[in-house]
Structure formats: structure tokens, C-alpha cells
Amino acid sequence: MIQVEHLTKTFGSTDAVKDLNFSLRPGKTTALIGPNGAGKTTTLHMISGLMKPTAGKINYTAQKEDPRELIGFLPQYPAFFDWMTAEEYVHFAAQLGKKTKKEAVSLSDELLDRVGLHEVKKKKIGGFSGGMKQRLGIAQALVHRPKLLLLDEPVSALDPTGRKEVMQLLNEIKKDLTILYSTHVLHDAQTLCDDVLMMNRGKKVVYASLEEIYKQYDRPRITIKTDNSIEPWAKSFAANYPFLTIEVKNGEATISGSSINIVRQHLFKELSSGEIAVRSIEVGTSTLEDVFHEVMKP
Amino acid sequence: MNGLKILFKKELLEMYRSYKWVWMPLLFISLGIMQPLTSYYLADIIKEFGGLPEGAVFETPLPTSQQVFTETLGQFSQIGTLVIVLAAMGMLSNERNSGAALMILVKPISYTGYFLSKWLAAASLVIVSFLLGVSCTLYYTTLLFDPLPVKEVMISSGYYVVWLLVTVTITLTLSAFIKKTAAVAGASILILLLLAVAASLFKEPLRWTPGNLLTLAQQAIMNEPLIGSLGTLMVTSVFIAGISCAGIRYMKQGEWLR
């Protein structure tokens, strides 16, 4: 979809983004993850054409005179005109995206429906809640039928309900689009994205598909949580299976061994005796969060 | 100039919803009515409120209609300018600060179109308001004094409209350069004042500067010879185009949206 080559942005003497290279897979959703100040927003702004790179370039595969025609963008804090109605704004955005008046009417109708703002489309944006504004932001980003959707922290400022709504919406639209979105909420990234791009201090740290990351960072271990106290059982377990290590922390026991099969085999046999009341079993460890902490280590 | 038409429409709608289309014309109309009325009834007003001692004889000669017209333009320059600056000061800086500009400029439109849409909208508002105000002055001047010569009124108003465009351009350009809206207003008024005062103080060396437009508007209604009018108009056009381009360039080049 796009190729980013040696992308660099310098503000004064600090490099916000430094020699960034990647290319997005068409039709896939990529999460851009990194701590504050990693250069996520700067990267998104450069791809969207709002900011000129200090060095390097961005190649858009589809040939268009103005690449902004292909891009839908939702900033971290979308700002609308409070005196406009939702319908008017989406309409306005569609026409700015080079749609004719007629197309704009039908497209904005369709999108307001899709983001669930159909009932309030005649209401002034000034009275909208954060979640509604975010959904309106997605509608205005999609209304000119872009090929690439860029979202800057689309869920960070929302409450759990709003977050769920937006995530659901993104899940529905992801199949027709290439999406690049930055986020802090690693759990959400895990459920939504195909690829993960991690940045730290302006540089790319990891760029791989979610499966590859899981494979690469997988550990042969199983974590169990129980209702009753786990320590006595853990002690006897350690004595019975000296080739496995067991660690108990905060009422959780983590059992690891040389391979996941060995751990699974022995642990499940032990658990089937029914001595302890298991509440949850988690196989492997690599949540995106673990990977994040591992790669962001200085 | 992609998107110019849509952005222009949006500006007009915004002005309509924020009642700029109501109070700006109303202000110019009231200034346009007040000046001929106060000039005509000056003697009565002074008698009524002046607190003159008993038996004082106070003769106020009735001004000519040309003088009344000039005085009205003077009112427009003082109060009118202030109001125009206040109405236009936030057009760019507010959208820049709120982030609304970012949402617009990420669409496939040009920065020139963005700037120009605001310029055109502000110019139309100001010109329409001015014309309404002038019409009222003409009506009351004709009613209370003598009718004004049509040709002179048109020429004079023409020069004045160009001065109003200078006002709009300076305010908008500064709105592109400066983030703080109050600072935009202060700087605009200061610059406009300097232009006007300097041109009237140093008549000869500053003959062709935009400030001379006010003098030309006065001379036109008095039917005096207009010296250096062509030069002034040319210099002013270059000035308007030049600082607009500077504003647009600044928006494009720097990190305007950060």
C-alpha cells in the first residue's frame, strides 16, 4: 500500500523520527505501538501529508496526483465545528475529498448509518459526547472512500463503552481497507491488528505480523490461577517434577519447562487429580504487553 | 485552489450561524445613519445637552453633504476597522488552535484555497456591510442636506473598499502567523494605524502606500484632483497579494499545524 523509506523528522536538535523503513501490507491492519514521544504521531502526520519529512520519502502505490485523496485520517483529538450538524460535517468532508454533491449526500448517509449516528445526524456537534465525536471522526475519515486509513490513538480518550463501540466499528471496516493506527491500549491492538509496528525514540523496534511475534516471543510455560491457596500444592509439585520449575507470585503459579508439550502433559495430569480449584489457565506468555516491555527495555 | 468553493460556502454559513451577517451590517448601517443625523441636529444637541450659559449665541454652520460623507468615512475607519479586525482575527488562528484546520488540510485541498476562502468570505461580509452603511448615509444626506454627486460617491467608495480589503488582508495574514488571537487583533490595529497615520504625516514620501487610500477617498468626494491614485492602487494590490502569499507560504512551510 505504502512504502516508507528512510523517513526522518527533526525538530530543532531532536530526532522525532529517525530512519524509519517499512511498508504496509494492503488490506491489513497494522498497530503502531510505542511509548509517549516515540514518534507515532509524527509518523502518521508525515504519511498523511500534514508534515513534510526532513529526509526520506513515502511512496504511495496507487498513482494519484495528491496522495491525500487516498488517505483518511483521524487525529488524536478530532476537532469539528460545533455549529455544524453531524450530517453537515460529513457532507463537507466528503466534498473536500473531491466527491460531488450527489455522491456526498449518499456517502454521508451511508457512513453515519454505519457509525451509528443516524439518529443524531441533524443535531449540532457541540452537544456530542467523546465517543460520538470519535465515531463522527471515523465517518469523516472514511467518507471519501480512502484506501488507507490512519488513526491516531482512536480509543485512548474513550471510556470502556466508547472504546468497545469504536473497536467493533474498526473490526467491521477493516476488511476493505489498509489501516495504520497508533495505540497505547495493547489489549485492543492484540484483538484487532494483523501486523505490529513498534517504535521507540523515533526508531523501529519490531515490525512483524502478530503470529510471528507470538512465535518469536513464545515461552514454554503455563500460568494457573486458583481459588484457594496455591503454595502447598506448588511445593509438592516441585518435589514431584524436578525437571519443571514452578514459581508462585500473587497467587499465581507459573510452570515452565524445556518445551510446552512436556509442561502441558505433566501439569494437566496433576490438575486432573482435582486437588486444587483452578480458576484460569493461560498457555504461553506473550501477550503484546510482555513483548512491549521486553523490547522497550533500554 | 481545490476546495475553494466548498470552503467558501462553509465560511459564509459559519458567519451566518454566528450572526456576523447580522451585526456587522447593522453596525455599519447605524454608523451610516448616525453621522448625517448628528451633523444635522448638532445645534439642537448642543442646546439640549451642552449646558451653555443662558443667552449664549452659538452658531453652527450646517456642513456640506461632502463633509458629512467624509465624516462618515472617518467613523467607518475608527469603529468599523476595530470591528472588522475583531470579526476576522480568529478566522485562521482559532481553527489552528482547535485542530479543526488539521482535519481540513488533511483532505486533498490546497492551502491557497483554504486561505483564499476565508479572505473572500471576510471581504464579502465587509464590503456588503460597508455598502449598506454608505447607502444609509446617502439617503439621509440627501434627505437632510443636498444630494451627493453619484460619480464622486462611487469613486470615493471604491477607494475606501480597497482600504477595507487591506484591513481584511492584514488581519487574516497575521491570523496565520500568530497563534494568540488577542495578539492578532493588537498587531493588526497597530499596523493599520501606522499605515494611516504615516501616510497622512509624510504625504510626499509615502504617496503610494495603502494609507493614502483614505486621503484619496476624501479627495474624490470633494472632487479634488487625485494625485498618485494609480500608483497607490498598484502598490496596494502588490501589498495585498504579497502579504497573502507570505501568509500562505508560512502555513505551508513551517510546522503550522503542530
PDB file of all heavy atoms in Angstrom, chain B residues 30-63:
ATOM      1  N   SER B  30     -25.886  51.596  11.296  1.00  0.00           N
ATOM      2  CA  SER B  30     -26.132  52.591  12.339  1.00  0.00           C
ATOM      3  C   SER B  30     -25.101  53.716  12.275  1.00  0.00           C
ATOM      4  O   SER B  30     -25.451  54.885  12.452  1.00  0.00           O
ATOM      5  CB  SER B  30     -26.156  51.938  13.725  1.00  0.00           C
ATOM      6  OG  SER B  30     -25.051  51.126  13.876  1.00  0.00           O
ATOM      7  N   LEU B  31     -23.831  53.363  11.971  1.00  0.00           N
ATOM      8  CA  LEU B  31     -22.842  54.431  11.800  1.00  0.00           C
ATOM      9  C   LEU B  31     -23.244  55.325  10.637  1.00  0.00           C
ATOM     10  O   LEU B  31     -23.137  56.558  10.702  1.00  0.00           O
ATOM     11  CB  LEU B  31     -21.455  53.840  11.523  1.00  0.00           C
ATOM     12  CG  LEU B  31     -20.721  53.191  12.689  1.00  0.00           C
ATOM     13  CD1 LEU B  31     -19.397  52.626  12.216  1.00  0.00           C
ATOM     14  CD2 LEU B  31     -20.492  54.191  13.796  1.00  0.00           C
ATOM     15  N   GLY B  32     -23.724  54.708   9.568  1.00  0.00           N
ATOM     16  CA  GLY B  32     -24.111  55.454   8.370  1.00  0.00           C
ATOM     17  C   GLY B  32     -25.306  56.362   8.604  1.00  0.00           C
ATOM     18  O   GLY B  32     -25.445  57.394   7.961  1.00  0.00           O
ATOM     19  N   ILE B  33     -26.170  55.968   9.542  1.00  0.00           N
ATOM     20  CA  ILE B  33     -27.335  56.809   9.832  1.00  0.00           C
ATOM     21  C   ILE B  33     -26.968  57.906  10.836  1.00  0.00           C
ATOM     22  O   ILE B  33     -27.343  59.062  10.693  1.00  0.00           O
ATOM     23  CB  ILE B  33     -28.492  55.960  10.416  1.00  0.00           C
ATOM     24  CG1 ILE B  33     -28.995  54.980   9.353  1.00  0.00           C
ATOM     25  CG2 ILE B  33     -29.628  56.840  10.876  1.00  0.00           C
ATOM     26  CD1 ILE B  33     -30.005  53.991   9.883  1.00  0.00           C
ATOM     27  N   MET B  34     -26.172  57.504  11.845  1.00  0.00           N
ATOM     28  CA  MET B  34     -25.875  58.420  12.942  1.00  0.00           C
ATOM     29  C   MET B  34     -25.155  59.681  12.474  1.00  0.00           C
ATOM     30  O   MET B  34     -25.464  60.779  12.914  1.00  0.00           O
ATOM     31  CB  MET B  34     -24.993  57.720  13.984  1.00  0.00           C
ATOM     32  CG  MET B  34     -25.707  56.712  14.832  1.00  0.00           C
ATOM     33  SD  MET B  34     -26.961  57.469  15.836  1.00  0.00           S
ATOM     34  CE  MET B  34     -25.949  58.177  17.113  1.00  0.00           C
ATOM     35  N   GLN B  35     -24.185  59.524  11.580  1.00  0.00           N
ATOM     36  CA  GLN B  35     -23.336  60.664  11.240  1.00  0.00           C
ATOM     37  C   GLN B  35     -24.127  61.803  10.594  1.00  0.00           C
ATOM     38  O   GLN B  35     -24.046  62.934  11.074  1.00  0.00           O
ATOM     39  CB  GLN B  35     -22.163  60.200  10.366  1.00  0.00           C
ATOM     40  CG  GLN B  35     -21.065  61.221  10.222  1.00  0.00           C
ATOM     41  CD  GLN B  35     -20.556  61.702  11.566  1.00  0.00           C
ATOM     42  OE1 GLN B  35     -20.331  60.891  12.466  1.00  0.00           O
ATOM     43  NE2 GLN B  35     -20.400  63.014  11.720  1.00  0.00           N
ATOM     44  N   PRO B  36     -24.937  61.545   9.543  1.00  0.00           N
ATOM     45  CA  PRO B  36     -25.715  62.651   8.990  1.00  0.00           C
ATOM     46  C   PRO B  36     -26.682  63.245  10.015  1.00  0.00           C
ATOM     47  O   PRO B  36     -26.832  64.471  10.086  1.00  0.00           O
ATOM     48  CB  PRO B  36     -26.494  62.005   7.839  1.00  0.00           C
ATOM     49  CG  PRO B  36     -25.820  60.728   7.563  1.00  0.00           C
ATOM     50  CD  PRO B  36     -25.104  60.316   8.779  1.00  0.00           C
ATOM     51  N   LEU B  37     -27.265  62.394  10.833  1.00  0.00           N
ATOM     52  CA  LEU B  37     -28.224  62.895  11.816  1.00  0.00           C
ATOM     53  C   LEU B  37     -27.550  63.810  12.828  1.00  0.00           C
ATOM     54  O   LEU B  37     -28.026  64.904  13.107  1.00  0.00           O
ATOM     55  CB  LEU B  37     -28.911  61.732  12.538  1.00  0.00           C
ATOM     56  CG  LEU B  37     -29.987  60.981  11.750  1.00  0.00           C
ATOM     57  CD1 LEU B  37     -30.627  59.919  12.621  1.00  0.00           C
ATOM     58  CD2 LEU B  37     -31.038  61.942  11.239  1.00  0.00           C
ATOM     59  N   THR B  38     -26.405  63.358  13.380  1.00  0.00           N
ATOM     60  CA  THR B  38     -25.744  64.209  14.380  1.00  0.00           C
ATOM     61  C   THR B  38     -25.252  65.502  13.743  1.00  0.00           C
ATOM     62  O   THR B  38     -25.295  66.553  14.362  1.00  0.00           O
ATOM     63  CB  THR B  38     -24.571  63.495  15.069  1.00  0.00           C
ATOM     64  OG1 THR B  38     -23.834  62.823  14.073  1.00  0.00           O
ATOM     65  CG2 THR B  38     -25.030  62.513  16.103  1.00  0.00           C
ATOM     66  N   SER B  39     -24.771  65.428  12.517  1.00  0.00           N
ATOM     67  CA  SER B  39     -24.317  66.649  11.862  1.00  0.00           C
ATOM     68  C   SER B  39     -25.470  67.631  11.706  1.00  0.00           C
ATOM     69  O   SER B  39     -25.330  68.829  11.928  1.00  0.00           O
ATOM     70  CB  SER B  39     -23.730  66.332  10.468  1.00  0.00           C
ATOM     71  OG  SER B  39     -22.613  65.532  10.593  1.00  0.00           O
ATOM     72  N   TYR B  40     -26.613  67.116  11.346  1.00  0.00           N
ATOM     73  CA  TYR B  40     -27.754  67.986  11.080  1.00  0.00           C
ATOM     74  C   TYR B  40     -28.303  68.595  12.367  1.00  0.00           C
ATOM     75  O   TYR B  40     -28.609  69.775  12.439  1.00  0.00           O
ATOM     76  CB  TYR B  40     -28.842  67.184  10.367  1.00  0.00           C
ATOM     77  CG  TYR B  40     -30.011  68.043   9.919  1.00  0.00           C
ATOM     78  CD1 TYR B  40     -29.885  68.831   8.762  1.00  0.00           C
ATOM     79  CD2 TYR B  40     -31.209  68.062  10.619  1.00  0.00           C
ATOM     80  CE1 TYR B  40     -30.934  69.630   8.339  1.00  0.00           C
ATOM     81  CE2 TYR B  40     -32.264  68.853  10.202  1.00  0.00           C
ATOM     82  CZ  TYR B  40     -32.129  69.632   9.067  1.00  0.00           C
ATOM     83  OH  TYR B  40     -33.170  70.409   8.641  1.00  0.00           O
ATOM     84  N   TYR B  41     -28.385  67.743  13.381  1.00  0.00           N
ATOM     85  CA  TYR B  41     -29.011  68.208  14.620  1.00  0.00           C
ATOM     86  C   TYR B  41     -28.003  68.681  15.641  1.00  0.00           C
ATOM     87  O   TYR B  41     -28.329  68.792  16.818  1.00  0.00           O
ATOM     88  CB  TYR B  41     -29.881  67.096  15.220  1.00  0.00           C
ATOM     89  CG  TYR B  41     -31.095  66.796  14.389  1.00  0.00           C
ATOM     90  CD1 TYR B  41     -31.216  65.615  13.683  1.00  0.00           C
ATOM     91  CD2 TYR B  41     -32.137  67.729  14.300  1.00  0.00           C
ATOM     92  CE1 TYR B  41     -32.315  65.346  12.921  1.00  0.00           C
ATOM     93  CE2 TYR B  41     -33.248  67.461  13.525  1.00  0.00           C
ATOM     94  CZ  TYR B  41     -33.344  66.280  12.835  1.00  0.00           C
ATOM     95  OH  TYR B  41     -34.441  66.031  12.070  1.00  0.00           O
ATOM     96  N   LEU B  42     -26.767  68.925  15.211  1.00  0.00           N
ATOM     97  CA  LEU B  42     -25.704  69.292  16.149  1.00  0.00           C
ATOM     98  C   LEU B  42     -26.108  70.490  17.003  1.00  0.00           C
ATOM     99  O   LEU B  42     -25.948  70.469  18.241  1.00  0.00           O
ATOM    100  CB  LEU B  42     -24.403  69.590  15.392  1.00  0.00           C
ATOM    101  CG  LEU B  42     -23.170  69.703  16.285  1.00  0.00           C
ATOM    102  CD1 LEU B  42     -22.915  68.389  16.997  1.00  0.00           C
ATOM    103  CD2 LEU B  42     -21.947  70.098  15.477  1.00  0.00           C
ATOM    104  N   ALA B  43     -26.673  71.506  16.355  1.00  0.00           N
ATOM    105  CA  ALA B  43     -27.055  72.717  17.082  1.00  0.00           C
ATOM    106  C   ALA B  43     -28.060  72.393  18.178  1.00  0.00           C
ATOM    107  O   ALA B  43     -27.909  72.818  19.332  1.00  0.00           O
ATOM    108  CB  ALA B  43     -27.634  73.734  16.103  1.00  0.00           C
ATOM    109  N   ASP B  44     -29.046  71.588  17.834  1.00  0.00           N
ATOM    110  CA  ASP B  44     -30.072  71.222  18.810  1.00  0.00           C
ATOM    111  C   ASP B  44     -29.488  70.385  19.928  1.00  0.00           C
ATOM    112  O   ASP B  44     -29.846  70.555  21.098  1.00  0.00           O
ATOM    113  CB  ASP B  44     -31.187  70.432  18.118  1.00  0.00           C
ATOM    114  CG  ASP B  44     -31.909  71.291  17.092  1.00  0.00           C
ATOM    115  OD1 ASP B  44     -32.300  72.409  17.442  1.00  0.00           O
ATOM    116  OD2 ASP B  44     -32.025  70.831  15.936  1.00  0.00           O
ATOM    117  N   ILE B  45     -28.576  69.474  19.527  1.00  0.00           N
ATOM    118  CA  ILE B  45     -27.980  68.591  20.540  1.00  0.00           C
ATOM    119  C   ILE B  45     -27.199  69.426  21.545  1.00  0.00           C
ATOM    120  O   ILE B  45     -27.311  69.224  22.757  1.00  0.00           O
ATOM    121  CB  ILE B  45     -27.063  67.533  19.871  1.00  0.00           C
ATOM    122  CG1 ILE B  45     -27.908  66.587  19.023  1.00  0.00           C
ATOM    123  CG2 ILE B  45     -26.289  66.749  20.917  1.00  0.00           C
ATOM    124  CD1 ILE B  45     -27.100  65.678  18.145  1.00  0.00           C
ATOM    125  N   ILE B  46     -26.418  70.346  21.045  1.00  0.00           N
ATOM    126  CA  ILE B  46     -25.626  71.189  21.948  1.00  0.00           C
ATOM    127  C   ILE B  46     -26.553  72.022  22.837  1.00  0.00           C
ATOM    128  O   ILE B  46     -26.329  72.158  24.045  1.00  0.00           O
ATOM    129  CB  ILE B  46     -24.684  72.099  21.134  1.00  0.00           C
ATOM    130  CG1 ILE B  46     -23.586  71.258  20.505  1.00  0.00           C
ATOM    131  CG2 ILE B  46     -24.058  73.161  22.041  1.00  0.00           C
ATOM    132  CD1 ILE B  46     -22.666  72.015  19.603  1.00  0.00           C
ATOM    133  N   LYS B  47     -27.635  72.528  22.252  1.00  0.00           N
ATOM    134  CA  LYS B  47     -28.582  73.326  23.030  1.00  0.00           C
ATOM    135  C   LYS B  47     -29.167  72.468  24.156  1.00  0.00           C
ATOM    136  O   LYS B  47     -29.305  72.907  25.297  1.00  0.00           O
ATOM    137  CB  LYS B  47     -29.698  73.809  22.111  1.00  0.00           C
ATOM    138  CG  LYS B  47     -30.122  75.259  22.397  1.00  0.00           C
ATOM    139  CD  LYS B  47     -31.311  75.641  21.545  1.00  0.00           C
ATOM    140  CE  LYS B  47     -30.880  76.254  20.220  1.00  0.00           C
ATOM    141  NZ  LYS B  47     -32.020  76.346  19.273  1.00  0.00           N
ATOM    142  N   GLU B  48     -29.455  71.244  23.829  1.00  0.00           N
ATOM    143  CA  GLU B  48     -30.131  70.362  24.765  1.00  0.00           C
ATOM    144  C   GLU B  48     -29.205  69.873  25.871  1.00  0.00           C
ATOM    145  O   GLU B  48     -29.562  69.848  27.038  1.00  0.00           O
ATOM    146  CB  GLU B  48     -30.687  69.163  23.982  1.00  0.00           C
ATOM    147  CG  GLU B  48     -31.851  68.457  24.620  1.00  0.00           C
ATOM    148  CD  GLU B  48     -33.052  69.355  24.813  1.00  0.00           C
ATOM    149  OE1 GLU B  48     -33.406  70.172  23.934  1.00  0.00           O
ATOM    150  OE2 GLU B  48     -33.631  69.228  25.888  1.00  0.00           O
ATOM    151  N   PHE B  49     -28.015  69.487  25.485  1.00  0.00           N
ATOM    152  CA  PHE B  49     -27.104  68.841  26.463  1.00  0.00           C
ATOM    153  C   PHE B  49     -25.837  69.646  26.717  1.00  0.00           C
ATOM    154  O   PHE B  49     -25.025  69.261  27.529  1.00  0.00           O
ATOM    155  CB  PHE B  49     -26.695  67.452  25.956  1.00  0.00           C
ATOM    156  CG  PHE B  49     -27.849  66.550  25.708  1.00  0.00           C
ATOM    157  CD1 PHE B  49     -28.258  66.238  24.419  1.00  0.00           C
ATOM    158  CD2 PHE B  49     -28.547  66.018  26.781  1.00  0.00           C
ATOM    159  CE1 PHE B  49     -29.329  65.405  24.208  1.00  0.00           C
ATOM    160  CE2 PHE B  49     -29.632  65.180  26.563  1.00  0.00           C
ATOM    161  CZ  PHE B  49     -30.029  64.873  25.272  1.00  0.00           C
ATOM    162  N   GLY B  50     -25.629  70.685  25.987  1.00  0.00           N
ATOM    163  CA  GLY B  50     -24.334  71.380  26.040  1.00  0.00           C
ATOM    164  C   GLY B  50     -24.130  72.128  27.333  1.00  0.00           C
ATOM    165  O   GLY B  50     -22.997  72.401  27.725  1.00  0.00           O
ATOM    166  N   GLY B  51     -25.207  72.507  28.027  1.00  0.00           N
ATOM    167  CA  GLY B  51     -25.055  73.254  29.258  1.00  0.00           C
ATOM    168  C   GLY B  51     -24.472  74.643  29.004  1.00  0.00           C
ATOM    169  O   GLY B  51     -23.668  75.171  29.779  1.00  0.00           O
ATOM    170  N   LEU B  52     -24.814  75.240  27.867  1.00  0.00           N
ATOM    171  CA  LEU B  52     -24.308  76.577  27.571  1.00  0.00           C
ATOM    172  C   LEU B  52     -24.996  77.596  28.479  1.00  0.00           C
ATOM    173  O   LEU B  52     -26.151  77.427  28.861  1.00  0.00           O
ATOM    174  CB  LEU B  52     -24.592  76.918  26.100  1.00  0.00           C
ATOM    175  CG  LEU B  52     -23.762  76.171  25.060  1.00  0.00           C
ATOM    176  CD1 LEU B  52     -24.189  76.564  23.663  1.00  0.00           C
ATOM    177  CD2 LEU B  52     -22.282  76.407  25.264  1.00  0.00           C
ATOM    178  N   PRO B  53     -24.282  78.669  28.864  1.00  0.00           N
ATOM    179  CA  PRO B  53     -24.903  79.680  29.731  1.00  0.00           C
ATOM    180  C   PRO B  53     -26.086  80.352  29.034  1.00  0.00           C
ATOM    181  O   PRO B  53     -26.141  80.419  27.813  1.00  0.00           O
ATOM    182  CB  PRO B  53     -23.782  80.678  29.985  1.00  0.00           C
ATOM    183  CG  PRO B  53     -22.758  80.410  28.934  1.00  0.00           C
ATOM    184  CD  PRO B  53     -22.884  78.977  28.571  1.00  0.00           C
ATOM    185  N   GLU B  54     -26.980  80.827  29.864  1.00  0.00           N
ATOM    186  CA  GLU B  54     -28.191  81.482  29.365  1.00  0.00           C
ATOM    187  C   GLU B  54     -27.827  82.611  28.408  1.00  0.00           C
ATOM    188  O   GLU B  54     -26.955  83.428  28.684  1.00  0.00           O
ATOM    189  CB  GLU B  54     -28.988  82.037  30.554  1.00  0.00           C
ATOM    190  CG  GLU B  54     -30.434  82.376  30.284  1.00  0.00           C
ATOM    191  CD  GLU B  54     -31.311  81.160  30.125  1.00  0.00           C
ATOM    192  OE1 GLU B  54     -30.905  80.046  30.612  1.00  0.00           O
ATOM    193  OE2 GLU B  54     -32.354  81.272  29.493  1.00  0.00           O
ATOM    194  N   GLY B  55     -28.432  82.607  27.276  1.00  0.00           N
ATOM    195  CA  GLY B  55     -28.257  83.717  26.345  1.00  0.00           C
ATOM    196  C   GLY B  55     -27.043  83.603  25.460  1.00  0.00           C
ATOM    197  O   GLY B  55     -26.743  84.504  24.671  1.00  0.00           O
ATOM    198  N   ALA B  56     -26.276  82.530  25.594  1.00  0.00           N
ATOM    199  CA  ALA B  56     -25.094  82.363  24.743  1.00  0.00           C
ATOM    200  C   ALA B  56     -25.546  82.155  23.307  1.00  0.00           C
ATOM    201  O   ALA B  56     -26.498  81.439  23.030  1.00  0.00           O
ATOM    202  CB  ALA B  56     -24.274  81.184  25.205  1.00  0.00           C
ATOM    203  N   VAL B  57     -24.837  82.786  22.409  1.00  0.00           N
ATOM    204  CA  VAL B  57     -25.168  82.631  20.993  1.00  0.00           C
ATOM    205  C   VAL B  57     -24.160  81.661  20.376  1.00  0.00           C
ATOM    206  O   VAL B  57     -22.956  81.846  20.495  1.00  0.00           O
ATOM    207  CB  VAL B  57     -25.126  83.990  20.263  1.00  0.00           C
ATOM    208  CG1 VAL B  57     -25.484  83.811  18.804  1.00  0.00           C
ATOM    209  CG2 VAL B  57     -26.044  84.978  20.944  1.00  0.00           C
ATOM    210  N   PHE B  58     -24.672  80.624  19.825  1.00  0.00           N
ATOM    211  CA  PHE B  58     -23.776  79.594  19.320  1.00  0.00           C
ATOM    212  C   PHE B  58     -24.228  79.238  17.908  1.00  0.00           C
ATOM    213  O   PHE B  58     -25.275  78.642  17.699  1.00  0.00           O
ATOM    214  CB  PHE B  58     -23.830  78.372  20.233  1.00  0.00           C
ATOM    215  CG  PHE B  58     -22.736  77.390  19.973  1.00  0.00           C
ATOM    216  CD1 PHE B  58     -21.448  77.652  20.407  1.00  0.00           C
ATOM    217  CD2 PHE B  58     -22.998  76.214  19.283  1.00  0.00           C
ATOM    218  CE1 PHE B  58     -20.445  76.744  20.169  1.00  0.00           C
ATOM    219  CE2 PHE B  58     -21.986  75.320  19.043  1.00  0.00           C
ATOM    220  CZ  PHE B  58     -20.707  75.575  19.489  1.00  0.00           C
ATOM    221  N   GLU B  59     -23.423  79.616  16.975  1.00  0.00           N
ATOM    222  CA  GLU B  59     -23.778  79.383  15.580  1.00  0.00           C
ATOM    223  C   GLU B  59     -23.025  78.170  15.060  1.00  0.00           C
ATOM    224  O   GLU B  59     -21.805  78.107  15.131  1.00  0.00           O
ATOM    225  CB  GLU B  59     -23.391  80.588  14.732  1.00  0.00           C
ATOM    226  CG  GLU B  59     -24.254  81.818  14.954  1.00  0.00           C
ATOM    227  CD  GLU B  59     -25.498  81.815  14.082  1.00  0.00           C
ATOM    228  OE1 GLU B  59     -25.430  81.280  12.952  1.00  0.00           O
ATOM    229  OE2 GLU B  59     -26.543  82.330  14.546  1.00  0.00           O
ATOM    230  N   THR B  60     -23.727  77.158  14.626  1.00  0.00           N
ATOM    231  CA  THR B  60     -23.027  76.046  13.967  1.00  0.00           C
ATOM    232  C   THR B  60     -23.445  76.052  12.505  1.00  0.00           C
ATOM    233  O   THR B  60     -24.607  75.820  12.193  1.00  0.00           O
ATOM    234  CB  THR B  60     -23.398  74.691  14.578  1.00  0.00           C
ATOM    235  OG1 THR B  60     -24.798  74.700  14.813  1.00  0.00           O
ATOM    236  CG2 THR B  60     -22.673  74.417  15.854  1.00  0.00           C
ATOM    237  N   PRO B  61     -22.494  76.313  11.655  1.00  0.00           N
ATOM    238  CA  PRO B  61     -22.838  76.301  10.240  1.00  0.00           C
ATOM    239  C   PRO B  61     -23.150  74.875   9.810  1.00  0.00           C
ATOM    240  O   PRO B  61     -22.497  73.925  10.255  1.00  0.00           O
ATOM    241  CB  PRO B  61     -21.581  76.829   9.555  1.00  0.00           C
ATOM    242  CG  PRO B  61     -20.481  76.549  10.523  1.00  0.00           C
ATOM    243  CD  PRO B  61     -21.072  76.575  11.889  1.00  0.00           C
ATOM    244  N   LEU B  62     -24.175  74.706   8.999  1.00  0.00           N
ATOM    245  CA  LEU B  62     -24.533  73.373   8.505  1.00  0.00           C
ATOM    246  C   LEU B  62     -23.430  72.893   7.564  1.00  0.00           C
ATOM    247  O   LEU B  62     -23.048  73.618   6.638  1.00  0.00           O
ATOM    248  CB  LEU B  62     -25.871  73.470   7.766  1.00  0.00           C
ATOM    249  CG  LEU B  62     -26.797  72.264   7.889  1.00  0.00           C
ATOM    250  CD1 LEU B  62     -27.043  71.914   9.340  1.00  0.00           C
ATOM    251  CD2 LEU B  62     -28.098  72.563   7.173  1.00  0.00           C
ATOM    252  N   PRO B  63     -22.880  71.692   7.810  1.00  0.00           N
ATOM    253  CA  PRO B  63     -21.825  71.215   6.906  1.00  0.00           C
ATOM    254  C   PRO B  63     -22.393  70.875   5.530  1.00  0.00           C
ATOM    255  O   PRO B  63     -23.597  70.679   5.385  1.00  0.00           O
ATOM    256  CB  PRO B  63     -21.297  69.966   7.597  1.00  0.00           C
ATOM    257  CG  PRO B  63     -22.387  69.521   8.472  1.00  0.00           C
ATOM    258  CD  PRO B  63     -23.167  70.731   8.863  1.00  0.00           C
TER     259      PRO B  63
END
